[in-house]
Amino acid sequence: MARDVLRAVRERDAYANLVLPVLLRERRLSGRDAAFATELAYGACRSRGTLDAVIADCAGREVGDIDGPLLDVLRLGVYQLLRTRVEPHAAVDTSVELVRAEFGGGRAGFVNAVLRRAGERTADEWVDRLAPRDPLGRMAFEYAHPVWIAQAFADALGARAGELREALAADDERPAVHLVARPGDITAEELALVTGGEEGRWSPYAVYLDGGDPGKLAPVREGMAAVQDEGSQLVALSLTRAPLLGPDTGRWLDLCAGPGGKTALLGALADIDGFRVDAVEPAEHRADLVRKATQGLPVSVHVTDGRDSGLTPGYDRVLVDAPCTGLGALRRRPEARWRRTPADVRDLTVLQRELLTAAWDLLRPGGVVVYSTCSPHLPETVAVVADLVRRTGAEQLDTRDLFPGVTDLGDGPAAQLWPHRHGTDAMFAATLRKPT
């Protein structure tokens, strides 16, 4: 099963976190077997850069010159040898048998030779042999990150760049599942009792799960809870807590709504006060996800481009959870770190600035907009906000005040979450108020 996930990622650019749950259900794997398949598939996807360097050294050729189906198996085998407690002979034998069953003995012999060479050194010894000599490059190799992403993290950490090793290590671990309890339907305390989970540290609606398939839980099936990172919950909540100038008339807007997690939380909170939320999503299939996530809530979904939505201005609160590189959620999207390139950033920052400007134009005087990204990358975060402030005279509020009880959010006025500090995705949030 793990091999089939890697093959889908390689051949179809599939997302491992979407492929694996389907396979688990189709093949009825559960318990320890499901956990092991998950560890193998996600771990091999996360570690691909490091694994490929080892494979290339052992094979005496670039990984691009190795047949894709063999490379999938080699990645699984080397991952087991260097990053799990699987016995070396078992890792080698099962890998060889996978290849022999599909391609015969000749190719199986090649896989056997490569894996036996890989197993001659420990993970630390491979780091010493293959990692770049500079400290940042070595850390990036050791924790399976492209160097440019490690540099982006170091830049975002700023004066606390000494935490880079902790940040990369946390980003290289399998994250806990976070649930959100829908306000008005169930409390976090009740959700924790029903699911056997633990109440979250920061969000009043968060519950942590050790593992398992959250889709099988009754509160999730019944729409009383959903899977949502605690950092995303905090961003949505910050919009509702931001101080307005003048009364809240109950016109809220989520300008980048798909797939609907933050919209659903905003809609549930709006419902309590008799308010309404407009949700904008340009892609029909993602708009349908928003509709499903917000069923029964006072949310109107508009299938349109947020940069030219045609909506009537005058909103009290606007959320711009902008499309971004997703560098803050790499631990939840195992293969993403090897797909993104620095070239992606330029087009995204143009889009981010356009969306934030559109949100500003839809905001009433005295209203607030929260700009957020699931990325700590400075060109996508503080640079985008600074550009709007310079052009419009926006008043930047201290977003850290809107995350009550959450510590270590940075120097302000924006708030920056980190996996190694908060156990959340590395969400960024800035709050801007339109002068009257």
Side-chain angles (χ1 to χ4, degrees):
M1 185 178 296
R3 188 274 316 272
D4 290 347
V5 172
L6 264 63
R7 182 171 291 185
V9 169
R10 177 181 52 80
E11 292 182 345
R12 309 197 311 268
D13 275 344
Y15 296 100
N17 64 330
L18 299 182
V19 173
L20 181 65
V22 174
L23 291 181
L24 288 174
R25 286 192 291 270
E26 286 179 352
R27 302 182 191 182
R28 299 184 180 180
L29 234 63
S30 61
R32 294 179 65 187
D33 283 342
F36 187 47
T38 301
E39 172 63 24
L40 290 182
Y42 288 179
C45 285
R46 270 197 313 270
S47 309
R48 194 185 82 186
T50 303
L51 301 178
D52 284 0
V54 173
I55 291 168
D57 189 81
C58 294
R61 67 182 80 166
E62 296 298 317
V63 292
D65 297 329
I66 298 174
D67 288 347
L70 300 186
L71 185 58
D72 296 332
V73 176
L74 285 170
R75 286 168 174 165
L76 281 176
V78 175
Y79 180 77
Q80 290 176 84
L81 289 169
L82 302 185
R83 292 198 164 203
T84 74
R85 295 191 302 271
V86 173
E87 290 292 334
H89 72 273
V92 173
D93 290 350
T94 53
S95 301
V96 169
E97 286 307 312
L98 268 179
V99 174
R100 179 177 284 115
E102 188 170 5
F103 299 109
R107 295 186 179 185
F110 169 73
V111 168
N112 181 62
V114 171
L115 292 181
R116 291 195 179 280
R117 289 190 196 112
E120 290 171 358
R121 291 181 172 87
T122 66
D124 288 342
E125 288 170 343
W126 278 116
V127 171
D128 289 339
R129 177 178 172 84
L130 300 176
R133 298 298 96 185
D134 64 290
L136 186 138
R138 182 184 174 90
M139 269 191 275
F141 184 90
E142 184 177 356
Y143 295 105
H145 283 69
V147 171
W148 77 273
I149 293 179
Q151 184 64 63
F153 284 9
D155 293 343
L157 287 165
R160 295 178 63 175
E163 296 179 11
L164 180 60
R165 178 175 293 276
E166 296 172 67
L168 294 175
D171 210 40
D172 199 32
E173 294 174 357
R174 186 158 57 92
V177 175
H178 292 181
L179 298 180
V180 58
R182 177 174 284 187
D185 285 346
I186 192 172
T187 66
E189 181 182 16
E190 291 166 340
L191 182 60
L193 288 172
V194 170
T195 61
E198 176 189 355
E199 289 184 65
R201 282 193 296 168
W202 314 115
S203 164
Y205 306 108
V207 169
Y208 307 152
L209 297 181
D210 285 337
D213 183 356
K216 294 181 179 178
L217 299 172
V220 175
R221 292 199 312 269
E222 294 163 12
M224 294 190 293
V227 176
Q228 186 177 45
D229 182 77
E230 191 173 21
S232 294
Q233 298 175 41
L234 292 172
V235 167
L237 290 171
S238 72
L239 180 70
T240 70
R241 294 166 174 164
L244 306 174
L245 297 176
D248 193 333
T249 66
R251 285 193 73 203
W252 298 359
L253 172 64
D254 186 347
L255 197 63
C256 309
K262 295 182 183 69
T263 320
L265 182 51
L266 289 173
L269 293 168
D271 194 29
I272 293 170
D273 291 322
F275 296 164
R276 291 199 61 81
V277 179
D278 284 314
V280 171
E281 170 52 52
E284 177 58 46
H285 71 282
R286 285 172 63 85
D288 195 46
L289 294 176
V290 180
R291 293 187 194 100
K292 290 176 181 176
T294 60
Q295 190 171 5
L297 296 173
V299 175
S300 301
V301 180
H302 305 266
V303 185
T304 184
D305 191 324
R307 294 170 290 183
D308 185 20
S309 65
L311 296 173
T312 303
Y315 287 95
D316 300 285
R317 304 178 187 275
V318 182
L319 175 63
V320 182
D321 183 36
C324 67
T325 55
L327 300 190
L330 296 177
R331 61 201 188 123
R332 298 195 186 279
R333 302 180 182 116
E335 70 290 323
R337 68 189 68 185
W338 307 110
R339 283 182 174 164
R340 285 296 188 190
T341 70
D344 297 329
V345 177
R346 183 173 60 184
D347 289 343
L348 282 168
T349 55
V350 171
L351 175 61
Q352 290 157 357
R353 293 181 188 210
E354 291 173 345
L355 286 166
L356 185 54
T357 299
W360 189 252
D361 292 340
L362 291 167
L363 195 65
R364 71 161 175 82
V368 294
V369 58
V370 169
Y371 172 79
S372 70
T373 59
C374 191
S375 170
H377 197 18
L378 296 179
E380 302 181 80
T381 57
V382 294
V384 173
V385 173
D387 174 69
L388 186 86
V389 171
R390 176 184 57 79
R391 290 188 288 109
T392 66
E395 177 189 2
Q396 189 165 1
L397 306 181
D398 195 329
T399 304
R400 297 172 300 176
D401 295 338
L402 310 179
F403 287 51
V406 185
T407 57
D408 239 355
L409 287 167
D411 298 330
Q416 179 64 62
L417 297 164
W418 288 97
H420 69 288
R421 292 183 192 169
H422 306 102
T424 68
D425 292 343
M427 296 293 300
F428 169 88
T431 310
L432 304 166
R433 187 163 63 191
K434 182 176 280 191
T436 55

